[in-house]
Amino acid sequence: MTKKAAAVSPVLVRHVIWLGWKLVVFLSFALCFIALLRLHFYPDISSPTNSLSRTRWRSRIPRYNFDGPPKIAFLFLARLNLPLDFLWGSFFENADAANFSIYIHSAPGFVFDETTYRSHFFYNRQLTDSIQVAWGESSMIEAERLLLATALQDPANQRFVLLSDSCVPLYNFSYIYRYLMASSRSFVDSFLDLKDGRYHPKMAPVVPRDKWRKGSQWISLIRSHAEVVVDDEVVLPVFKKFCKRRPAVDTSKGKLNLKLQKQHNCIPDEHYVPTLIAMSELEGDIERRTLTYTLWNQSATKMDNKAWHPVTFNYADASPKRLKEIKDINHVHYESEARTEWCQTNSTFVPCFLFARKFSRGAAMRLLSEGVVGPFDASSLLGNS
């Protein structure tokens, strides 16, 4: 019995070893297959180009065969209401309803209906999934993306214009429509700002330093670029983590303010879209300028000697002469790049700006009385103000 058992033992050992090697080979193949699947569906975020390409490839926006008149989607980013609704109501009144759509991101719970607004153009145009937005925080970007995502559900929307609640049109609807539809490009203010110091080194390698851009948040996008913004799952998380506004000065904290003001300072909405466009290798497909005019006023304080704020236009500032000066602007100079952007559409030189901010109600009423957006009797507002 002992000899027989001894004779059988080497056979069993070889069999066990053979099975072991077979199992190792099988597991190796299985692990390789799983790794390939992970690379295919979950690309490494340390490779921004591959990540953004993969994100666009698996776009969440449904594709439709579109055949009909293209529309402009007007996307209003409002704090609560639209104080210049009477001006925009007149603007849309003189337009073909088949050529535009309206979407409003307002504070959660605020409803645009007959009880809150005069103009029917805004009834029930608010997003039902809006979020609470704070200036200088990533919530501003998220609200913009919500507006774009909602507007993209309509295949007729081919141009997407982001506007604030203090924006006004500088021309009538017909002119603005022809201007936007004549161009196959997006309008995204985008420039290098090497001295700004808002780029956080920890953004690398996902957001490379050489792709960091700055610009106005008031953009106008073609449909494919709007999809890029909505589909992004790579750049936004990095912005939310590392691009944050420095805490405001609080006089009650005394010397602690000095420490707070040394924290990294970044305003997400001034960097997100132009940086995303640059990372997506799409800068050759855009006009690197905004269509919205803003007059900046530099103010100085003890704690912040370089605080810039947009000037508010009042009734006296909305004179025909002042508006003509804005409309006559035909180029924008970017000092950081020693670049002058001559405003053109399809090689034809055009005025740089279609919209302007920040306008008061009085200034908006003057625009109406001057017939900027179309025929209108400003006295009709007096009973409803």
Side-chain angles (χ1 to χ4, degrees):
M1 293 293 291
T2 303
K3 288 182 179 181
K4 187 175 182 180
V8 174
S9 180
V11 176
L12 290 173
V13 170
R14 285 196 298 271
H15 186 66
V16 170
I17 294 174
W18 181 77
L19 287 175
W21 276 110
K22 197 172 182 180
L23 182 61
V24 170
V25 171
F26 175 80
L27 289 174
S28 298
F29 274 109
L31 289 172
C32 288
F33 182 73
I34 292 172
L36 288 173
L37 286 177
R38 287 181 62 84
L39 286 173
H40 183 74
F41 291 104
Y42 305 99
D44 184 2
I45 64 171
S46 65
S47 177
T49 302
N50 289 340
S51 297
L52 294 177
S53 297
R54 177 63 59 193
T55 300
R56 290 197 298 275
W57 178 78
R58 55 189 177 93
S59 173
R60 293 170 293 167
I61 306 302
R63 297 297 193 269
Y64 302 99
N65 292 323
F66 169 68
D67 182 21
K71 294 196 291 188
I72 300 174
F74 291 87
L75 315 178
F76 289 93
L77 189 57
R79 283 165 290 189
L80 184 64
N81 60 357
L82 293 178
L84 308 184
D85 64 323
F86 56 89
L87 173 65
W88 284 102
S90 179
F91 174 79
F92 292 121
E93 196 71 53
N94 294 286
D96 186 338
N99 291 334
F100 69 89
S101 303
I102 299 172
Y103 303 86
I104 308 169
H105 184 286
S106 183
F110 188 84
V111 177
F112 290 76
D113 59 20
E114 296 87 344
T115 64
T116 55
Y117 270 83
R118 291 182 295 267
S119 177
H120 65 90
F121 291 107
F122 304 109
Y123 293 169
N124 301 315
R125 301 314 305 162
Q126 75 279 354
L127 304 191
T128 57
D129 57 349
S130 64
I131 60 173
Q132 194 64 49
V133 174
W135 178 84
E137 296 184 3
S138 58
S139 56
M140 187 79 75
I141 299 174
E142 294 177 277
E144 294 175 17
R145 282 162 50 99
L146 284 171
L147 281 165
L148 288 168
T150 304
L152 280 167
Q153 300 304 312
D154 183 350
N157 290 329
Q158 297 294 309
R159 300 294 185 273
F160 303 79
V161 179
L162 184 66
L163 301 161
S164 78
D165 53 17
S166 66
C167 279
V168 298
L170 296 174
Y171 300 90
N172 61 29
F173 181 89
S174 178
Y175 181 87
I176 290 177
Y177 184 85
R178 292 196 306 269
Y179 187 116
L180 289 174
M181 292 303 173
S183 176
S184 60
R185 294 168 173 258
S186 291
F187 296 86
V188 179
D189 195 35
S190 175
F191 58 92
L192 299 173
D193 198 0
L194 302 178
K195 298 180 181 179
D196 186 73
R198 292 185 179 181
Y199 177 79
H200 199 303
K202 290 185 178 180
M203 287 183 166
V206 180
V207 180
R209 182 67 179 86
D210 65 337
K211 298 296 184 182
W212 182 249
R213 301 288 186 270
K214 185 179 180 181
S216 168
Q217 76 175 110
W218 311 112
I219 55 178
S220 174
L221 302 179
I222 60 175
R223 189 173 180 89
S224 60
H225 294 169
E227 291 173 354
V228 169
V229 175
V230 171
D231 287 337
D232 169 43
E233 297 175 349
V234 175
V235 178
L236 181 61
V238 178
F239 263 73
K240 293 174 71 172
K241 187 173 183 179
F242 296 113
C243 185
K244 296 182 179 181
R245 178 170 58 94
R246 180 184 299 150
V249 175
D250 185 347
T251 55
S252 66
K253 294 182 179 179
K255 293 183 178 180
L256 180 59
N257 276 309
L258 296 176
K259 182 178 180 180
L260 292 174
Q261 295 310 300
K262 290 180 181 179
Q263 293 184 26
H264 190 81
N265 188 41
C266 183
I267 310 299
D269 56 79
E270 294 182 359
H271 296 275
Y272 175 66
V273 172
T275 298
L276 178 62
I277 291 291
M279 289 181 60
S280 302
E281 306 297 334
L282 292 172
E283 285 187 304
D285 299 330
I286 67 171
E287 299 286 349
R288 294 178 64 189
R289 60 185 176 90
T290 180
L291 295 176
T292 301
Y293 176 81
T294 304
L295 178 61
W296 293 93
N297 178 40
Q298 186 178 23
S299 62
T301 67
K302 292 182 180 180
M303 297 302 299
D304 185 1
N305 60 5
K306 281 196 174 182
W308 291 77
H309 303 283
V311 171
T312 297
F313 287 82
N314 295 310
Y315 183 91
D317 306 311
S319 66
K321 179 182 177 181
R322 185 71 185 95
L323 288 178
K324 185 178 184 304
E325 291 174 354
I326 297 174
K327 291 181 177 182
D328 285 346
I329 297 173
N330 60 5
H331 69 279
V332 182
H333 183 69
Y334 294 93
E335 186 176 347
S336 63
E337 298 178 352
R339 169 173 63 94
T340 298
E341 193 79 15
W342 292 93
C343 302
Q344 52 185 322
T345 297
N346 287 345
S347 300
T348 300
F349 290 99
V350 292
C352 291
F353 301 108
L354 297 180
F355 311 96
R357 61 185 293 267
K358 303 173 61 173
F359 274 60
S360 67
R361 287 176 59 85
M365 289 189 70
R366 186 167 186 177
L367 292 185
L368 284 177
S369 65
E370 299 290 345
V372 171
V373 301
F376 186 81
D377 179 11
S379 63
S380 64
L381 286 174
L382 299 179
N384 297 319
S385 298

